Amino acid sequence: MLEILNVKKSYKKGEEVLKGISLCVQEGDLFAFIGHNGAGKSTLIKCIAGILNFESGQIRVFGKDISKQSLEAKQCMAYVPDNPDMYPFMTGVDYISFILSCYGVSLQSVQQEMEAMAKAYEIYDALQSKVKEYSHGMRQKLVLLTAFLHHPKLLILDEPFVGLDPKAAKITRDYMHDFCKKGGIIFFSTHVLETAEKLCNKVAIIKDGEIISQGAMKDIVGNASLEDVFLEEDE
Amino acid sequence: MFFRLVKINFQSLFQSSFSKSKKSNAGLIILFVFVFAYVIAAMALGAWGQAQLYLQNQMPTYGLLITGALPTTILVFVLSFFGLHHMLFSATDYELLASMPIKTSTVCFARIFTQCIWYYIYVLMFYAPYLVVYCIVTPITFLQVLIAIIILLALPLLPITFGELFALCIGLIGSNSKVFRVIRGIVIALVMVAMVLLYSGFGQGSITLPNIFFFTWIVQSVAFVSWGSVFAFWAISIFPFVVLLLCISKYYSKLYERFHRTPKAKHAKPVNLHERTQFQALLKKEWQRLTSSAGYLLNSCLGFVFYICMPVVLYFAGVQNMGFSVLGAFCLAIAMLGMNSPLAVTFSLEGNAFYIIKSLPISTKTYIQSKVALQLCIMLPFAIVGSFLCGILMHFVWYEWLLLLLFSLGFSVLVTGYALFLAKRFYTFSYTNEIQVVKQSSAVLYHTLTCFAFLGVVLGVCIGAMYLMPLWIPLTVITLVTCVGGWVLLYKQMQVTAWQLNEIM
């Protein structure tokens, strides 16, 4: 379970980016986190991933406090950033090996799975090339592949569909769906509201650092579309 | 448009160094001025000392003209090889500029012009002090001063041409295959060694390329006021430069495409993941980063390589017959091993990709250990081989050799501890600001200056103590203090850095 309790974060004194955010995401949830640019989506996601510190509140990942037991909390999650700045000097296979080694995953056990996923994403032939030669989409595929590969319990994805071709986007949606079916949690931000509406069972809308609406997708959307609800709430 | 592009090029060169804060910008400008003044003063001091030596031994002072020209030429060649080539073919704004109604040749000219300004600053820093000292110690006319300035203006053109030409050739023959990369590495290493060895030939009256080249053109021009040599020097400097300029500008877009074409997909090769522990994976990452960038490798490991090269150079220069003492070897170890190190800039090099480390279950201890391990793995073999070569070639007795070896090892550890301190002091990863304030140059500067200050202390202590006791006693004390101090500093720094990184990790 992912618990976010009254999290406050500010980059400058007196300018709060997150104004006491509280959320709870259960096992099996596919949680969409939406909001306009600069609302605080990426900041909260980075706080959950243990990248940014926050002033007050608590984030617990399966009972582990991200501030106090960060290694244990990070061990059971994977993070995919909005802009995959990777190590350009590594080859694709080096990157996968590096990340999985850091999680202590037995690489032999995931070799076949890696090959299958890389072929599905159509980057298998590029895995021997340096990351600096990859396009944005290929980098995104590599980061997503690596995130799924070490079987985390919680996946935190910051706009995962940006740069993906339609086929890769479809594969990613399928992987996400399967992942949650097996009891995993996905917490992801997106601007593609149509996808979020179809894919997710829960949603939260953030505006200026505050959650203005959250709950089950069907309850929030009702008979309208998520886009309509979002635009209405955002005004 | 040309000057607008030059301005943009300068902005891109400095954008990483300057921030919005006026205070830090002022500090950085003071730092730059200080560095320039420091180098000029050091070069002038060296030139002055050399001039006095020439005058005492009744040797012609025009040797100064060659001594100043040689390192300047080598430096500009190396800078052109890496810097100009990088700016021409690795700048990220090429595609943006190419899509605009600007001639690619204008873009090319602007880039070369920007780099040339830099190289002329280097020439002023390294060669001008020698010229000034030469003018002071030798009765010289106004005409000779004029000729010297004309020569100075032409001096960097040939090394710029050859540097870029060489980089082009290496880049064009190089491919992504490992064999080509190895060949490329060997060729670069051979050229560098050849240049160092050529330099070592000077001063013995031997017939070496620099002696012939610089004597024929520079000395003839300035010392003997030969207008023929002046024109010839200008002609041989400017003609290849102009040819290169025209060729590169004409084929700039094609060359850019050639360097940036997508490599063919490597089919049929099975992709195997490599099993590693967390520490091994981090160490491999650091190693890959170091070896992937020629600039990083050159900036951080040049001193280590020179610690091996210098005993050979000094041997060929016949220094061992002039009573090269173990104190000289100690100074060499400090100057070369302390010149720079990969660790000093290691945190700032993580840059935006630091989010990867922060989101992974890696303890700060393991993370720091991997960085320290890389530095020691590279530095210690060079320290051992360098001190061994010094001992053999300079005919040291066994205990002198042992002292030098122990000192080199202890000093390597001391440098590692200090570099870790600097790395932590000048880290730059920031997630709230897209424009990161890169403080790498500051870290490197502090590193070099502190090591030179340490050299001064060692030299002062030893020279002072030599009047009271045999040299081996202060050297033994210094070695012991360095070894113990090095380990204590490194241990403490690793603890403190781990604690401080925990605050941000």
Side-chain angles (χ1 to χ4, degrees):
Chain A
M1 191 161 67
L2 169 66
E3 296 162 283
I4 301 163
L5 306 167
N6 198 27
V7 169
K8 289 181 183 173
K9 163 82 187 166
S10 53
Y11 290 125
K12 282 180 190 171
K13 221 174 181 181
E15 284 180 36
E16 276 193 341
V17 183
L18 302 177
K19 300 168 184 170
I21 299 232
S22 295
L23 288 170
C24 184
V25 191
Q26 306 283 351
E27 278 92 334
D29 278 351
L30 221 164
F31 198 102
F33 191 48
I34 57 177
H36 59 82
N37 292 331
K41 295 189 302 295
S42 293
T43 301
L44 180 66
I45 278 181
K46 282 175 183 170
C47 288
I48 300 169
I51 295 171
L52 290 179
N53 295 321
F54 42 92
E55 281 86 54
S56 64
Q58 216 177 25
I59 295 176
R60 284 205 294 262
V61 180
F62 294 98
K64 308 276 191 301
D65 190 325
I66 191 72
S67 304
K68 291 171 186 159
Q69 298 161 283
S70 66
L71 292 189
E72 290 88 342
K74 286 173 184 176
Q75 185 66 46
C76 54
M77 68 167 136
Y79 164 67
V80 174
D82 53 344
N83 187 19
D85 283 307
M86 297 156 78
Y87 300 120
F89 48 83
M90 283 186 182
T91 62
V93 68
D94 284 340
Y95 178 77
I96 299 171
S97 300
F98 169 70
I99 299 289
L100 296 186
S101 299
C102 288
Y103 280 103
V105 175
S106 164
L107 301 186
Q108 279 180 342
S109 65
V110 293
Q111 175 75 34
Q112 282 186 333
E113 196 181 349
M114 182 276 290
E115 286 178 17
M117 285 181 83
K119 281 174 184 165
Y121 271 129
E122 297 177 336
I123 55 165
Y124 184 78
D125 290 336
L127 285 179
Q128 304 271 23
S129 302
K130 291 257 169 78
V131 168
K132 67 180 174 189
E133 292 160 7
Y134 283 25
S135 66
H136 183 275
M138 286 166 82
R139 286 181 192 206
Q140 191 72 2
K141 287 175 187 177
L142 184 63
V143 178
L144 281 165
L145 181 153
T146 316
F148 280 111
L149 215 50
H150 70 85
H151 303 293
K153 290 183 197 168
L154 167 66
L155 257 176
I156 300 156
L157 314 174
D158 198 353
E159 299 185 31
F161 301 109
V162 174
L164 293 183
D165 56 61
K167 190 182 172 189
K170 164 86 173 66
I171 291 166
T172 307
R173 283 197 300 272
D174 291 345
Y175 281 139
M176 287 166 75
H177 203 258
D178 291 347
F179 180 81
C180 291
K181 252 184 166 177
K182 289 173 190 166
I185 301 173
I186 292 182
F187 184 88
F188 85 106
S189 73
T190 184
H191 290 297
V192 191
L193 301 184
E194 206 182 325
T195 304
E197 191 178 344
K198 281 182 188 168
L199 200 63
C200 303
N201 62 329
K202 283 188 180 171
V203 65
I205 301 172
I206 183 172
K207 186 184 177 185
D208 299 331
E210 285 176 294
I211 300 289
I212 51 169
S213 182
Q214 66 164 312
M217 183 66 81
K218 56 185 178 187
D219 295 340
I220 298 282
V221 172
N223 293 327
S225 69
L226 184 60
E227 191 179 12
D228 293 336
V229 173
F230 174 72
L231 292 174
E232 197 179 301
E233 297 272 14
D234 200 42
E235 274 168 11
Chain B
M1 181 47 71
F2 174 81
F3 287 106
R4 208 174 275 182
L5 286 172
V6 170
K7 192 185 165 193
I8 291 167
N9 289 337
F10 269 110
Q11 280 174 336
S12 68
L13 275 174
F14 284 110
Q15 69 164 11
S16 55
S17 302
F18 287 96
S19 66
K20 283 176 185 171
S21 156
K22 280 183 183 173
K23 209 173 165 185
S24 63
N25 284 348
L28 209 61
I29 290 167
I30 292 169
L31 200 68
F32 275 127
V33 172
F34 175 72
V35 173
F36 286 136
Y38 179 83
V39 174
I40 289 170
M43 296 308 287
L45 213 63
W48 185 256
Q50 205 160 358
Q52 297 309 312
L53 198 72
Y54 287 156
L55 291 172
Q56 275 174 14
N57 296 315
Q58 293 180 329
M59 286 163 72
T61 47
Y62 59 65
L64 285 171
L65 297 171
I66 304 176
T67 323
L70 271 166
T72 314
T73 313
I74 291 175
L75 186 73
V76 173
F77 172 83
V78 173
L79 289 171
S80 170
F81 179 74
F82 291 109
L84 179 60
H85 192 70
H86 183 268
M87 186 167 217
L88 280 171
F89 299 109
S90 301
T92 48
D93 60 347
Y94 173 80
E95 284 171 17
L96 177 72
L97 294 171
S99 69
M100 288 156 77
I102 308 168
K103 279 184 184 175
T104 51
S105 58
T106 312
V107 177
C108 178
F109 284 138
R111 288 191 170 157
I112 294 175
F113 183 76
T114 312
Q115 284 292 325
C116 282
I117 290 174
W118 267 120
Y119 301 150
Y120 275 102
I121 291 171
Y122 280 108
V123 170
L124 279 176
M125 279 163 63
F126 288 89
Y127 191 48
Y130 275 86
L131 267 183
V132 172
V133 171
Y134 176 75
C135 292
I136 293 168
V137 298
T138 310
I140 193 165
T141 61
F142 174 74
L143 189 67
Q144 281 175 300
V145 173
L146 192 71
I147 292 172
I149 293 167
I150 295 170
I151 289 293
L152 190 132
L153 289 173
L155 190 66
L157 297 179
L158 209 57
I160 289 173
T161 311
F162 276 103
E164 177 48 33
L165 197 66
F166 186 54
L168 266 178
C169 294
I170 295 286
L172 289 172
I173 62 159
S175 80
N176 277 323
S177 81
K178 274 190 179 171
V179 179
F180 272 116
R181 265 185 274 165
V182 170
I183 291 171
R184 197 162 52 175
I186 290 169
V187 171
I188 293 171
L190 282 177
V191 169
M192 296 300 168
V193 170
M195 295 191 84
V196 171
L197 289 178
L198 279 171
Y199 184 26
S200 71
F202 171 70
Q204 299 179 81
S206 55
I207 303 167
T208 62
L209 192 64
N211 269 3
I212 299 165
F213 184 80
F214 289 112
F215 186 85
T216 311
W217 310 115
I218 299 178
V219 175
Q220 291 280 346
S221 304
V222 181
F224 304 118
V225 197
S226 163
W227 282 103
S229 291
V230 177
F231 288 123
F233 186 69
W234 257 94
I236 59 147
S237 299
I238 205 153
F239 181 68
F241 180 74
V242 171
V243 171
L244 183 87
L245 207 66
L246 293 175
C247 288
I248 289 187
S249 60
K250 189 175 181 190
Y251 299 107
Y252 185 42
S253 56
K254 281 185 182 172
L255 283 167
Y256 188 91
E257 280 169 33
R258 171 67 182 76
F259 285 118
H260 288 264
R261 70 182 177 195
T262 313
K264 287 173 191 168
K266 292 160 182 136
H267 294 282
K269 263 190 175 178
V271 176
N272 292 316
L273 298 172
H274 308 290
E275 196 90 49
R276 290 187 187 96
T277 63
Q278 230 180 37
F279 175 78
Q280 287 168 339
L282 286 164
L283 188 62
K284 173 91 193 291
K285 175 192 76 116
E286 296 299 329
W287 172 253
Q288 283 180 317
R289 171 178 288 143
L290 182 73
T291 52
S292 69
S293 159
Y296 183 27
L297 201 57
L298 183 81
N299 283 329
S300 56
C301 298
L302 195 65
F304 308 161
V305 179
F306 272 11
Y307 189 48
I308 289 181
C309 292
M310 285 309 282
V312 182
V313 169
L314 293 170
Y315 177 77
F316 279 113
V319 172
Q320 79 279 12
N321 301 323
M322 293 154 69
F324 186 80
S325 73
V326 69
L327 177 59
F330 266 56
C331 293
L332 190 71
I334 298 169
M336 297 300 123
L337 293 173
M339 191 186 283
N340 40 29
S341 59
L343 191 60
V345 293
T346 191
F347 292 145
S348 55
L349 278 174
E350 292 283 358
N352 280 330
F354 190 55
Y355 80 85
I356 299 173
I357 297 294
K358 286 185 81 176
S359 64
L360 292 174
I362 300 168
S363 71
T364 49
K365 201 176 156 194
T366 317
Y367 177 62
I368 293 165
Q369 277 171 351
S370 70
K371 288 183 179 293
V372 169
L374 178 84
Q375 161 110 349
L376 289 176
C377 285
I378 295 167
M379 209 173 177
L380 294 181
F382 280 106
I384 293 167
V385 176
S387 51
F388 179 76
L389 281 174
C390 253
I392 294 287
L393 297 174
M394 303 299 156
H395 313 306
F396 289 163
V397 290
W398 70 269
Y399 67 87
E400 287 177 330
W401 183 83
L402 189 66
L403 266 183
L404 181 64
L405 176 69
L406 284 174
F407 177 77
S408 300
L409 294 175
F411 185 67
S412 301
V413 176
L414 187 76
V415 164
T416 307
Y418 184 61
L420 189 58
F421 164 77
L422 289 175
K424 163 191 78 181
R425 174 73 184 74
F426 293 104
Y427 76 88
T428 60
F429 28 79
S430 161
Y431 292 90
T432 56
N433 191 355
E434 284 297 309
I435 304 163
Q436 293 181 332
V437 184
V438 180
K439 297 180 179 176
Q440 291 162 11
S441 51
S442 310
V444 171
L445 178 75
Y446 275 99
H447 191 287
T448 313
L449 287 184
T450 312
C451 286
F452 274 105
F454 185 72
L455 192 151
V457 171
V458 169
L459 210 56
V461 167
C462 287
I463 290 171
M466 271 163 70
Y467 290 104
L468 305 168
M469 59 189 87
L471 182 62
W472 67 267
I473 298 174
L475 286 180
T476 309
V477 173
I478 287 168
T479 304
L480 283 173
V481 170
T482 307
C483 287
V484 176
W487 280 112
V488 171
L489 180 72
L490 181 60
Y491 179 73
K492 282 278 171 203
Q493 281 305 316
M494 284 178 76
Q495 277 188 326
V496 173
T497 312
W499 178 77
Q500 286 180 339
L501 274 184
N502 264 330
E503 294 295 299
I504 50 170
M505 277 184 80

